[in-house]
Amino acid sequence: MINPWSSGQVPDYDRLREDFGIGDVPKGIFDSSLFRRGIIFGQRGLEYIEYCMKNEIQFNAMTGLMPSGEMHLGNKSVMDQILFYQSLGAKITIAVADLESYGTRNLSLEKARDIAINKYLVNYIAMGLKPCRFYFQSDSARVQRLALILSNEVNFSEMKAIYGFENSSPMLHINSPLVQVADILHVQSPEMGGPSPTIVPVGADQDPHLRLTRDIANRHRVFNISWERETVKISVSGKYDSRKMLDIANEKLLELNFKIVSRNDNYRLISAMGDIDNNVRLDLELALIESKYNEHAFIAPSATYQKLLTGLKGGKMSSSKPESLISLNDKPEEAVKKIKSATTGGRATVEEQRIKGGEPDKCPVFELYSFHLSPDDKDLNEIHETCKAGTLLCGPCKSEAAERMRKFLADLSEKRNEAMEKISLYVGDE
Ligand code: TRP
Ligand code: SF4
């Protein structure tokens, strides 16, 4: 079981993918170092986003932030991804999970608001976020209402099985995943533009929420589509006029050159043969039609999963270990000090390192380069190779990393001052 609220060890990503059915990342979809370098190690439903890109259809990118402490480098990759999708033209939505931090971190709503704006949002703006939808869970009647409505399709044993809740768990904690489901799905509600593929970049720890969200989205669909090789089956959910809905499905299948194999109005089922490469298109177009009848015609959201950043002293970079963490709000000089005393993949002595070379793939400093400090692949490759060859030693390598980090943080701090003045463009009434 993955627990979204505990801070454990760095996981084995291949096993995670296997155990939870997370897909691997096809090469060459996105021109971004996050994808090229395997920092994004897995995905669900990414073919929907690929389809949008190919066909110039706008998609959503959404994330939520838990205002629990510092905005640190471990959270920065999600931010980089959101900025990347915004540059591709995606519609961006950012939720502040203040109900979740109230329920799970004992943080008042006022404090959460203050942290979200002054530690997170300003950094987002300083990093280049253009105006977008930014809201607080506690403010959004739309999200809260959707969370309650959707909760009708989930029962307590299911929540217990996914999250390990107990009879004594507070209701807000039990409800917080449903609020997150509503965060993710409300961008597809009729007032927000209707069904639309949505990409949600997250850490692996958020996968339980994503699986729940995708299940709940599917449970609300009129059309339930399943594939077996070249055969597609579409069943119509019980609440709707099956004859009329099957007519609609029939027509769409013919339009996409499927061959109808059978149709049974009593079983509310139609099956057809066709090109599986049309699966995304079929789903999207049926969702659009059904949204005329069903306000919850959600397309199951897509997700990308990122590796956790290793802390500077090993383990996971998390707010509970300040010496291991670099915050975007750190003074540049503090960050320099932390990098200089970081653990490395170096050898016990300089002589040994010259002979055997270092181990960049086990080195938190190299990870810093890879995730954040070396945008150019050639540069990164050179660090990797010279480290392995024993020609680059840890002293100079750390100094260079520290210097790049110093520059980055100093520059960001300047941009934060300008960002402060723009906050009202992002934070408004819900
Ligand atoms: N649970 C997330 C976290 O702990 C925060 C969150 C709330 C979120 N709503 C979301 C993340 C929607 C992604 C999408 O960080
Ligand atoms: Fe890490 Fe750099 Fe040392 Fe290699 S030389 S082990 S990358 S600190």
Side-chain angles (χ1 to χ4, degrees):
M1 188 191 279
I2 317 178
N3 183 341
W5 296 290
S6 85
S7 59
Q9 275 303 305
V10 178
D12 170 344
Y13 294 106
D14 291 334
R15 238 196 95 194
L16 253 176
R17 265 203 313 258
E18 223 164 85
D19 289 356
F20 292 94
I22 295 174
D24 50 17
V25 182
K27 295 262 171 297
I29 300 188
F30 292 117
D31 185 19
S32 145
S33 60
L34 294 165
F35 284 87
R36 281 197 308 273
R37 295 177 185 175
I39 295 169
I40 294 167
F41 73 91
Q43 53 85 20
R44 292 185 194 274
L46 200 61
E47 65 276 16
Y48 282 72
I49 305 304
E50 209 179 348
Y51 178 85
C52 289
M53 301 264 295
K54 265 197 202 130
N55 295 284
E56 299 186 10
I57 299 170
Q58 195 182 33
F59 58 95
N60 287 295
M62 103 78 56
T63 185
L65 51 93
M66 175 106 108
S68 53
E70 285 297 329
M71 163 111 220
H72 57 80
L73 285 181
N75 333 111
K76 180 177 162 281
S77 310
V78 164
M79 204 163 157
D80 288 334
Q81 248 190 103
I82 289 289
L83 295 169
F84 174 66
Y85 298 130
Q86 190 171 48
S87 78
L88 297 177
K91 204 158 131 192
I92 307 297
T93 303
I94 302 175
V96 177
D98 59 348
L99 291 178
E100 187 179 357
S101 56
Y102 190 100
T104 65
R105 301 282 152 94
N106 225 337
L107 205 67
S108 73
L109 295 179
E110 294 73 28
K111 185 85 187 136
R113 178 173 291 261
D114 176 58
I115 295 175
I117 293 178
N118 295 306
K119 301 227 181 220
Y120 288 74
L121 179 60
V122 281
N123 280 312
Y124 256 111
I125 303 173
M127 300 260 312
L129 183 75
K130 306 271 177 313
C132 66
R133 175 163 157 68
F134 181 90
Y135 71 93
F136 295 81
Q137 288 175 335
S138 67
D139 279 348
S140 178
R142 191 178 280 149
V143 167
Q144 291 166 27
R145 188 187 56 197
L146 187 61
L148 280 172
I149 299 270
L150 298 179
S151 71
N152 199 33
E153 294 290 325
V154 192
N155 64 40
F156 186 52
S157 358
E158 198 180 350
M159 294 301 276
K160 262 197 333 212
I162 303 175
Y163 298 105
F165 288 131
E166 314 257 351
N167 288 350
S168 59
S169 303
M171 285 306 300
L172 181 55
H173 193 175
I174 295 172
N175 277 321
S176 65
L178 292 164
V179 179
Q180 177 157 349
V181 170
D183 283 331
I184 298 172
L185 295 181
H186 90 287
V187 302
Q188 298 188 57
S189 58
E191 319 89 85
M192 308 300 273
S196 163
T198 305
I199 179 117
V200 188
V202 290
D205 62 326
Q206 298 292 303
D207 188 45
H209 298 311
L210 264 301
R211 273 181 285 146
L212 179 66
T213 309
R214 287 166 60 86
D215 278 353
I216 290 181
N218 289 331
R219 282 174 211 172
H220 286 81
R221 286 289 293 272
V222 175
F223 296 114
N224 303 289
I225 307 173
S226 62
W227 282 86
E228 211 172 290
R229 291 205 201 90
E230 297 289 294
T231 306
V232 62
K233 287 195 173 117
I234 304 178
S235 67
V236 171
S237 141
K239 289 184 218 150
Y240 299 85
D241 174 347
S242 59
R243 164 99 71 121
K244 182 163 151 198
M245 292 300 155
L246 287 171
D247 283 347
I248 292 175
N250 202 332
E251 197 182 320
K252 181 53 75 185
L253 285 166
L254 292 177
E255 187 194 320
L256 300 186
N257 293 322
F258 282 76
K259 235 178 69 200
I260 308 295
V261 175
S262 67
R263 166 173 172 162
N264 186 321
D265 285 42
N266 291 330
Y267 291 147
R268 319 171 68 87
L269 188 73
I270 188 165
S271 78
M273 303 252 297
D275 185 357
I276 189 153
D277 287 342
N278 263 330
N279 65 341
V280 174
R281 180 164 173 208
L282 180 66
D283 186 22
L284 292 189
E285 295 188 1
L286 283 177
L288 281 174
I289 303 174
E290 82 172 69
S291 67
K292 292 185 205 140
Y293 310 91
N294 170 17
E295 63 170 318
H296 300 131
F298 302 122
I299 291 159
S302 315
T304 48
Y305 299 93
Q306 311 197 332
K307 289 186 180 166
L308 294 169
L309 186 64
T310 310
L312 295 174
K313 300 279 186 194
K316 156 175 164 182
M317 185 175 282
S318 98
S319 314
S320 52
K321 290 177 284 181
E323 38 354 301
S324 214
L325 162 152
I326 292 177
S327 158
L328 296 188
N329 302 306
D330 274 352
K331 296 211 171 56
E333 295 316 319
E334 283 170 53
V336 164
K337 259 197 230 140
K338 288 184 201 170
I339 292 180
K340 292 207 166 151
S341 59
T343 313
T344 69
R347 307 287 174 177
T349 64
V350 170
E351 290 71 42
E352 193 186 341
Q353 187 152 349
R354 286 227 163 87
I355 297 164
K356 292 188 183 157
E359 297 184 285
D361 299 322
K362 293 185 185 160
C363 175
V365 177
F366 183 75
E367 226 179 72
L368 276 187
Y369 280 112
S370 171
F371 280 54
H372 301 296
L373 298 175
S374 171
D376 175 20
D377 288 351
K378 251 206 215 139
D379 173 67
L380 188 71
N381 195 38
E382 182 169 333
I383 296 167
H384 193 260
E385 294 312 302
T386 51
C387 166
K388 268 183 22 189
T391 48
L392 178 62
L393 295 177
C394 295
C397 180
K398 280 176 165 183
S399 298
E400 174 66 20
E403 176 52 23
R404 292 187 191 187
M405 186 64 74
R406 193 193 60 70
K407 265 201 199 127
F408 167 71
L409 290 175
D411 178 54
L412 192 66
S413 149
E414 228 167 77
K415 290 188 177 142
R416 266 199 304 270
N417 294 332
E418 297 161 33
M420 284 290 189
E421 326 229 303
K422 297 192 195 143
I423 282 172
S424 62
L425 295 176
Y426 298 77
V427 183
D429 287 338
E430 185 53 35

